Amino acid sequence: MSTESVIVSTTYGKLEGESCNGVNVFRGVPYAAPPVGELRWRAPQPVQPWDGVRSARAFGPVSPQHPLPPSEIHTGILDVPGRHSEDCLYLNVWTPGLDDAKRPVLFWIHSGGLEYGSGSQPLYDGTTLAATRDVVVVTINYRLGALGYLRLTDLTGGGIPSTGNEGRMDEIAALTWVRDNIAAFGGDPDNVTIFGQSAGSIEVAALLSITPAKGLFRRAVLHSTATHSSQTIDNANRMSELFLDILGVDPRDTDALRAVEPSRLVQASTDLLARMKQEDPNSGRMHFNPVVDGDFLPMRPYDAVRGGAADDISIMVGTTLDETRLALGSEPPLQLNYAQALAACRVFLGDEAERMMAAYTDLRTRRGQPASPTDVMFALETDRVLRYPSIKLSEALDERRRPGYQFIFTYESPAMGGRLGAAHALELGFLFGTYTDEKAKVFNGEGPVADRLAERMQDAWTSFAATGDPSCASIGHWPTYGAARETMLIGDDWDVAKAPYEEERLLWEEFPGDARIGLM
């Protein structure tokens, strides 16, 4: 496949990308200075301009991270290619034209628990969307794990001023680069849609409520989580105390902290989860949630949206039907007996776990859905962590008379005998058009049904990016979420359902006490 060189001018200097089959691609574009040395754990700083023409043909380094464990569904398309380095603040652009067409811009924030992933993963290749939907696609790297989300300003007496939100500052820096430069790539800086999945969606939710992000985007799509994820300063500081104890570094020795090898920081993040679980079994599986500091992040994103922070933003939000069944991707598959599943549910549901398991077992049995103790545990966790919070976000938008669109992705993966169902991240290959990759077919499937699903998803998402409304010819009218709880069910067919799985929603609405809604 032949490629041609293309050159574009940015505010920092000229970039040389490549053009192939009508799509211009620029990889490894720096959007902030390398956050190394004295800049470790600091807010991103501006890129230094360069003379001449800088090559943008290869992806930039990715933030230091652990690899995913070997798995049939991890190999290939979820791999993170490239060298690991603290010098990781790069973005990638796919565009059908280097002109003044002012195309909608889709700005992707990758998933990975804030500790894994990159904008260069094959899953997120923007070629299909740019080539067939006349949009500009931007994917980014941002600092992960302790490098992006460890709060040290209090423990070090300001010697290291990190707030625990530096990774989110990276995203704002990348959005600022888009505002200042995307017109040269054929994009419209006044029509940017931010979208992300899982941890990327946590970041999208935070950006809805962060003042410095205002005006940098017009629309937002949240896949597989919503606006409930956050932590207090006290919790962030306690986590940092444990982290430094694992490292064996005195918080007053800032030089020693800046000298710790990135690989040690990555390993300490892994060790931290076990330490936090020892201290608080209810602490969840993610330890780098957004830090509500009253300044950069004034309040929990959900509360900010309820207070009007996103009144000028059009929003889509949804989940897959069987989010947490992705955990069944191991061999042999997880199989819990009733006592084991009940114990797992009690971590967050306490004394209500038995009642909730019984209710879900009954509902799933009546619908003909799998209802073993393992199935029920996964269904409860899908709704507690992801689906119910997404509903609460749509309710908040409706209360403020703002347009919101709700979806549930119901198409089931053929992988591993079908036991994954409509699993976490399954929709992304269809959205980006990468489901046709040979290594992706194991997870996504192939054939006319998969092709039609991809076509419709790409139509709806790019319609939303262009107009703020996902309705389009291939899917028909997609109503906003309102009193009837209108929800698009996305699968072999697309159907608007009114209040789907309402019985489960009511169980959470009436849940007594704190179920740690949205806590991963």
Side-chain angles (χ1 to χ4, degrees), residues 454-488:
E455 178 186 356
R456 287 171 161 178
M457 277 203 79
Q458 292 163 30
D459 285 349
W461 262 244
T462 54
S463 175
F464 177 77
T467 69
D469 183 345
S471 303
C472 56
S474 62
I475 69 164
H477 178 57
W478 184 333
T480 57
Y481 189 90
R485 303 188 182 278
E486 298 90 340
T487 302
M488 184 65 77

Side-chain angles (χ1 to χ4, degrees), residues 191-212:
N191 191 8
V192 176
T193 297
I194 60 173
F195 65 138
Q197 185 262 351
S198 195
S201 184
I202 289 175
E203 301 301 270
V204 170
L207 290 170
L208 292 173
S209 55
I210 294 172
T211 301

Side-chain angles (χ1 to χ4, degrees), residues 77 429-430 433-437 440-441 444-447 450-452 454 458:
I77 198 162
F430 300 102
T434 51
Y435 73 103
T436 58
D437 185 287
K441 290 177 182 178
N444 295 117
E446 58 183 319
D451 294 341
R452 181 67 172 155
Q458 292 163 30

Side-chain angles (χ1 to χ4, degrees), residues 196-514:
Q197 185 262 351
S198 195
S201 184
I202 289 175
E203 301 301 270
V204 170
L207 290 170
L208 292 173
S209 55
I210 294 172
T211 301
K214 295 298 179 188
L216 296 176
F217 58 92
R218 291 181 63 182
R219 322 192 201 285
V221 187
L222 299 91
H223 293 242
S224 301
T225 198
T227 49
H228 282 62
S229 297
S230 66
Q231 63 176 320
T232 64
I233 288 176
D234 286 346
N235 187 76
N237 283 341
R238 180 55 185 155
M239 182 179 69
S240 297
E241 288 174 354
L242 293 172
F243 190 89
L244 295 188
D245 184 62
I246 292 167
L247 288 178
V249 178
D250 189 317
R252 294 166 296 184
D253 192 346
T254 57
D255 289 339
L257 274 170
R258 289 194 182 95
V260 175
E261 287 295 320
S263 59
R264 279 190 66 201
L265 297 176
V266 171
Q267 184 57 51
S269 292
T270 301
D271 298 340
L272 176 62
L273 186 59
R275 287 285 296 274
M276 290 177 67
K277 282 292 185 184
Q278 290 175 0
E279 194 164 281
D280 178 10
N282 296 338
S283 60
R285 296 177 290 274
M286 280 185 60
H287 36 278
F288 292 122
N289 280 310
V291 180
V292 177
D293 59 5
D295 181 21
F296 179 78
L297 185 60
M299 63 185 76
R300 183 175 64 157
Y302 171 66
D303 298 321
V305 172
R306 293 190 71 193
D311 278 0
D312 57 345
I313 307 295
S314 302
I315 295 176
M316 289 171 61
V317 59
T319 67
T320 65
L321 182 61
D322 304 305
E323 293 276 4
T324 52
R325 291 183 72 86
L326 188 63
L328 291 174
S330 59
E331 292 288 2
L334 178 69
Q335 287 297 329
L336 304 179
N337 60 35
Y338 178 78
Q340 291 169 324
L342 180 62
C345 291
R346 276 186 173 144
V347 171
F348 294 109
L349 305 184
D351 293 339
E352 294 295 315
E354 190 167 3
R355 179 181 67 85
M356 293 289 281
M357 283 193 70
Y360 264 63
T361 300
D362 178 61
L363 288 170
R364 292 179 68 84
T365 300
R366 285 195 277 122
R367 292 195 193 109
Q369 294 175 290
S372 73
T374 304
D375 296 320
V376 169
M377 181 201 70
F378 280 130
L380 281 162
E381 278 296 273
T382 289
D383 289 353
R384 182 189 70 81
V385 177
L386 302 168
R387 195 175 75 86
Y388 182 65
S390 77
I391 292 171
K392 298 304 290 181
L393 173 57
S394 291
E395 287 178 353
L397 295 170
D398 181 51
E399 288 169 4
R400 298 198 61 81
R401 303 293 186 265
R402 304 307 305 158
Y405 299 89
Q406 179 85 20
F407 66 89
I408 301 176
F409 186 86
T410 63
Y411 172 93
E412 296 185 352
S413 170
M416 299 180 166
R419 70 178 183 238
L420 304 181
H424 195 62
L426 180 60
E427 79 275 26
L428 300 182
F430 300 102
L431 174 57
F432 281 92
T434 51
Y435 73 103
T436 58
D437 185 287
E438 285 301 320
K439 294 176 180 176
K441 290 177 182 178
V442 172
F443 187 38
N444 295 117
E446 58 183 319
V449 171
D451 294 341
R452 181 67 172 155
L453 173 58
E455 178 186 356
R456 287 171 161 178
M457 277 203 79
Q458 292 163 30
D459 285 349
W461 262 244
T462 54
S463 175
F464 177 77
T467 69
D469 183 345
S471 303
C472 56
S474 62
I475 69 164
H477 178 57
W478 184 333
T480 57
Y481 189 90
R485 303 188 182 278
E486 298 90 340
T487 302
M488 184 65 77
L489 303 183
I490 300 174
D492 295 359
D493 295 304
W494 290 50
D495 297 297
V496 176
K498 294 183 177 180
Y501 306 98
E502 179 69 354
E503 297 94 335
E504 284 91 338
R505 185 194 70 81
L506 289 172
L507 285 168
W508 294 106
E509 194 72 22
E510 298 162 1
F511 188 90
D514 179 13

Side-chain angles (χ1 to χ4, degrees), residues 50-66:
W50 59 85
D51 297 323
V53 179
R54 178 180 179 129
S55 177
R57 287 173 170 262
F59 290 119
V62 305
S63 185
Q65 58 194 267
H66 271 311

